[in-house]
Amino acid sequence: PALVPHAFERFTRADEARQRDGGAGLGLALVHAIVTAHGGTVRLTSKPGDTTIAVRLPTH
């Protein structure tokens, strides 16, 4: 939950110990950029054991 306010920032990682080759912490930042560019919203809620990311896009 402490990471939620920063989750959509570039290079944010939840757990440095789980770092994989090639990962840079850009995934959610890219999701946010693409969704907002298309007029949508993205929201993240989290509590221990339950994280939800909701993407909403307009249906023009």
Side-chain angles (χ1 to χ4, degrees):
L3 184 65
V4 171
H6 306 285
F8 297 105
E9 296 173 7
R10 290 180 287 159
F11 310 113
T12 297
R13 295 179 159 277
D15 184 354
E16 294 292 332
R18 294 176 51 181
Q19 184 173 2
R20 296 187 300 254
D21 291 336
L26 293 173
L28 289 177
L30 289 171
V31 167
H32 184 266
I34 292 167
V35 169
T36 56
H38 290 284
T41 60
V42 60
R43 186 188 69 184
L44 182 142
T45 57
S46 184
K47 61 183 179 183
D50 182 25
T51 297
T52 302
I53 299 171
V55 174
R56 292 183 181 251
L57 294 169
T59 59
H60 300 1

